[in-house]
Every structure is written in structure tokens, then in C-alpha cells.
């Protein structure tokens, strides 16, 4: 019941923010078609995505086995259903690095499932159970709120789903929300001796071994797409497996006016949800993930810390990523 009340408050707030974005559009209608040649590309509303990040974080850290995790799954499913997408909950059993077992789920939302040429857009929705990179060691066993490292990618996908419903373009899109990406071996663990890489990305590994379909022209993974001053470099494995997709997306970013955010330079190689998609399902998939070359940690100051909160999200970063994705979708 409380969830219901919460969800309806959320819907009202969403409406409020949508009107705020619509209003913006009416003031300057030419914004709506900027850089779009003949295609009418809708405007990504960063306020709407921001609100979804706040909603996800209000449940608490969405760690495996928690009530917040279950509540957030229900929210994500309802939010995609509200945009008329076909939603499937793919249940899975996950075994963590330490042998602990949890039931979890990937959430799959399909726009125009009848179309056979499709784009796959994905992000993880779980929260890391330990802030093991926090500057204060007292926080190393505290769960991460995961505004950026989790909620941001889901929020961008939900806002795109809303715009698809509004405009109804003739292109197939599947959104996959992967569970259990972020429970990989913590830095304080001294007793682990297996393959560390396999302890991350459990939901995407499960999906790649049990895909609901594979007829995607390409895939795009969103990971931590909301930090202040984030820049996206060309991630190494994305270039190795999906260089054409990298070129396509970076070109879209330039056309959308975001070449300063999507940098034309190489980034490092990251173990992330795109790897099982590239190596197991052979869907060429890139990872849009920030790189901070001059920071102590290259994923940014809030990565796996208790400071990964909505206050540290910058709507401008969400906008750059969301608008670039819309450009890709509408030029499919
Ligand atoms: C590694 O640190 C090996 N991979 C990072 C993947 C990740 C964690 N993305 C978000 N959180
Ligand atoms: Zn993480």
C-alpha cells in the first residue's frame, strides 16, 4: 500500500516535471529539431531522469536480498509498463564470490517487439553492497546508495521509453536492466582465490546464457552516466568488439552537440556488462562509462563510496547521454 501511494506521488511529480520540460520546448520550439536534419528528434528531459534517480534511491541501497531491491524491481517494472512496453521479469539465482546465494532478476522491456531489427540498451539496476572505495574505512562495509552507479542508467532508459511512447518511431528497442552487476569481490577481501572477473556482472552473464532474443544490430551499455563533469572515452573492449558502434555513437554525440562530453580518445578496458554480450551472445555492444584521467580513481570521486547520492548527479551529464541515444535511435 505504501508503495502504491509512493508510486502515485511519483506519477504526479513526473507529470509536473514533464510539463516543465514541455514548457521549455514551447519557449523555443526550434530546440526541438536542432541538428536533426529531416528527422524530428524529441528532447530528452533531464529533470524527468533526475526524478527517477531520486525515486530509486528513496528505496535505499538496492542490494541483493533487501526490501529496497524488491521494491525497486516493482517500480522499474511498473514504470516501463506505464510506457506501454512489454515487460518480462527474468528470475535468476546468483552465487556471490563468497558462496552466498540470492534470488534476483533482470528486467526486460521491449518497444515494438514485432520488429526484427533492433537496438539493445542496457544498464545495471542493483547497488553495490559495500562502499569499499570510500575514503573512510569505517564505511567499507556500508551499502552504496548508487545514484550514479546504478540508478542513472535506468533513469536514462526510462526517459527514453517515455519519449518512444510519445512519438512512436518505427524502430525496435529492448531495454534490459541487469541485476547483480556490482557484488564483485570487495577490495577488503583477502581470502578470494577464484577468477575475480567472473564475480561481477552476474545478471548479464545469466542473460547472455539465456537471451530472450538476439536479433539486435548492436547494444549500448550505460554505466555511471550521471556524474558532474563526466567525460566518456572510447572504452577498450568496446573498440575491440564493436568499433563500428563506437564510431556511430560518437558521431551521433557530435551531431547532437556533445563532442566535449564524448571525447575522441581511448579509455581503459573495463570489466562490465557488455563483455558477456560481446563474448557469449556476440551482440556488438559498447560501454558508455566515464573516465576521469586526473582523479585518484578513474571512475570518479563518488565511485563505490557513500557519496554516490542524488546530490552528486549532474542533469547535464544525463542530458548529454540521453540526447545522444535519441539521436542514435532516430537515425537507425
Ligand atoms: C571493475 O572494477 C573491475 N569493474 C567495474 C565495473 C563496475 C562496477 N561498474 C560499476 N561498478
Ligand atoms: Zn559499481
Amino acid at each position: 500500500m505504501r508503495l502504491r501511494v509512493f508510486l502515485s506521488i511519483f506519477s504526479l511529480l513526473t507529470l509536473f516535471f514533464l510539463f516543465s520540460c514541455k514548457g521549455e520546448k514551447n519557449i523555443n520550439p526550434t530546440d526541438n529539431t536542432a541538428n536533426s536534419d529531416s528527422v524530428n528528434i524529441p528532447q530528452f528531459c533531464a529533470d524527468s531522469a533526475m526524478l527517477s534517480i531520486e525515486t530509486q534511491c528513496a528505496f535505499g541501497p538496492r542490494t541483493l536480498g533487501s526490501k529496497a531491491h524488491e521494491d525497486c524491481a516493482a517500480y522499474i517494472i511498473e514504470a516501463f509498463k506505464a510506457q506501454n512496453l512489454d515487460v518480462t521479469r527474468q528470475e535468476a539465482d546468483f552465487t556471490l564470490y563468497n558462496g552466498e546465494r540470492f534470488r534476483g532478476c533482470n528486467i526486460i522491456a521491449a518497444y515494438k517487439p514485432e520488429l526484427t531489427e533492433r537496438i539493445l540498451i542496457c544498464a545495471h539496476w542493483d547497488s553495490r553492497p559495500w562502499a569499499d572505495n570510500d575514503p573512510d574505512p569505517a564505511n567499507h562495509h556500508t551499502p552504496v546508495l548508487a545514484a550514479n552507479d546504478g540508478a542513472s542508467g535506468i533513469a536514462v532508459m526510462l526517459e527514453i521509453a517515455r519519449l518512444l511512447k510519445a512519438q512512436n518511431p518505427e524502430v525496435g528497442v529492448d531495454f534490459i536492466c541487469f541485476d547483480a552487476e556490482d557484488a564483485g569481490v570487495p577490495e577488503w577481501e583477502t581470502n578470494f582465490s577464484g577468477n575475480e572477473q567472473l564475480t561481477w556482472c552476474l545478471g548479464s552473464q545469466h542473460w547472455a546464457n539465456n537471451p530472450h532474443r538476439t536479433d539486435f544490430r548492436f547494444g549500448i551499455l550505460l554505466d555511471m552516466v550521471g556524474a558532474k563533469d563526466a567525460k566518456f572515452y572510447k572504452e577498450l573492449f568496446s573498440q575491440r568488439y564493436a568499433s563500428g558502434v563506437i564510431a556511430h555513437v560518437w558521431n551521433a554525440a557530435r551531431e547532437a552537440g556533445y563532442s566535449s562530453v564524448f571525447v575522441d580518445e581511448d579509455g581503459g578496458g573495463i570489466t562490465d556488462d557488455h563483455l558477456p554480450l560481446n563474448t557469449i551472445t556476440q551482440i556488438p555492444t559498447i560501454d558508455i562509462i566515464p573516465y576521469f584521467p586526473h582523479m585518484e580513481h578513474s571512475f570518479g570521486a563518488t565511485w563505490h563510496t557513500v557519496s554516490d547520492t542524488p546530490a552528486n548527479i549532474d542533469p547535464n551529464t544525463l542530458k548529454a547521454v540521453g540526447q545522444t541515444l535519441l539521436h542514435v535511435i532516430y537515425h537507425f
Side-chain angles (χ1 to χ4, degrees):
M1 196 57 216
R2 268 177 57 193
L3 180 63
R4 278 249 176 95
V5 172
F6 190 67
L7 287 176
S8 34
I9 292 170
F10 167 70
S11 316
L12 286 174
L13 283 170
T14 304
L15 280 175
F16 169 78
F17 275 99
L18 296 188
F19 281 121
S20 81
C21 281
K22 280 224 178 89
E24 217 173 87
K25 224 159 51 177
N26 290 341
I27 292 164
N28 184 1
T30 54
D31 278 358
N32 205 26
T33 50
N35 304 314
S36 65
D37 5 285
S38 58
V39 189
N40 193 18
I41 303 176
Q43 282 293 306
F44 184 90
C45 182
D47 288 344
S48 165
M50 193 65 221
L51 195 61
S52 174
I53 291 174
E54 279 159 7
T55 303
Q56 292 173 68
C57 290
F59 294 118
R62 285 80 65 211
T63 55
L64 288 159
S66 68
K67 181 175 184 301
H69 185 266
E70 190 47 50
D71 289 349
C72 191
Y75 155 72
I76 293 169
I77 289 168
E78 287 312 310
F80 277 118
K81 280 189 178 166
Q83 307 307 337
N84 290 349
L85 271 59
D86 269 27
V87 184
T88 313
R89 180 177 169 133
Q90 181 183 51
E91 301 283 341
D93 286 311
F94 299 120
T95 305
L96 301 200
Y97 77 93
N98 58 5
E100 262 193 278
R101 297 185 60 169
F102 292 97
R103 190 119 180 114
C105 68
N106 296 321
I107 298 164
I108 302 163
Y111 172 77
K112 298 211 168 165
E114 68 281 7
L115 300 182
T116 53
E117 283 245 27
R118 311 185 62 76
I119 306 177
L120 170 58
I121 304 178
C122 50
H124 78 92
W125 70 274
D126 61 309
S127 302
R128 183 156 179 76
W130 321 281
D132 54 342
N133 193 51
D134 200 273
D136 181 353
N139 293 327
H140 283 186
H141 293 259
T142 305
V144 177
L145 195 55
N148 192 31
D149 190 2
S152 67
I154 302 301
V156 167
M157 296 199 300
L158 284 170
E159 169 59 3
I160 290 172
R162 181 185 74 79
L163 294 167
L164 291 178
K165 182 193 179 197
Q167 286 228 345
N168 204 32
E170 203 56 17
V171 48
V173 183
D174 284 38
F175 300 96
I176 309 185
C177 310
F178 291 124
D179 201 355
E181 186 273 344
D182 225 353
V185 184
E187 286 173 24
W188 41 256
E189 179 56 67
T190 51
N191 280 324
F192 182 76
S193 62
N195 180 346
E196 194 251 343
Q197 278 201 21
L198 290 177
T199 68
W200 303 85
C201 306
L202 302 182
S204 54
Q205 291 185 54
H206 178 83
W207 181 82
N209 288 308
N210 307 273
H212 69 289
R213 67 192 298 166
T214 55
D215 52 348
F216 300 102
R217 215 186 274 177
F218 56 83
I220 300 174
L221 170 65
L222 310 176
D223 193 4
M224 304 188 269
V225 291
K228 285 187 176 73
D229 301 321
K231 305 258 184 257
F232 303 101
Y233 288 63
K234 299 173 168 178
E235 189 269 336
L236 183 77
F237 300 122
S238 307
Q239 299 214 71
R240 180 176 302 168
Y241 293 109
S243 59
V245 186
I246 286 277
H248 190 63
V249 172
W250 260 248
N251 189 48
R254 188 174 47 73
E255 287 178 356
Y258 296 106
S259 53
S260 62
V261 180
F262 285 76
V263 180
D264 189 13
E265 283 181 54
D266 297 342
I270 313 295
T271 300
D272 211 342
D273 289 322
H274 64 319
L275 287 186
L277 275 55
N278 280 304
T279 60
I280 302 174
T281 57
Q282 266 121 34
I283 299 163
T285 304
I286 66 162
D287 191 4
I288 298 181
I289 187 165
Y291 176 52
F292 293 87
H294 305 300
M295 295 268 245
E296 189 176 347
H297 201 289
S298 63
F299 290 143
T302 69
W303 183 69
H304 294 180
T305 74
V306 298
S307 305
D308 186 1
T309 60
N312 289 319
I313 298 292
D314 185 345
N316 293 311
T317 304
L318 302 171
K319 171 77 179 175
V321 173
Q323 200 60 50
T324 295
L325 285 176
L326 287 167
H327 210 283
V328 170
I329 291 168
Y330 279 74
H331 283 162
F332 185 64

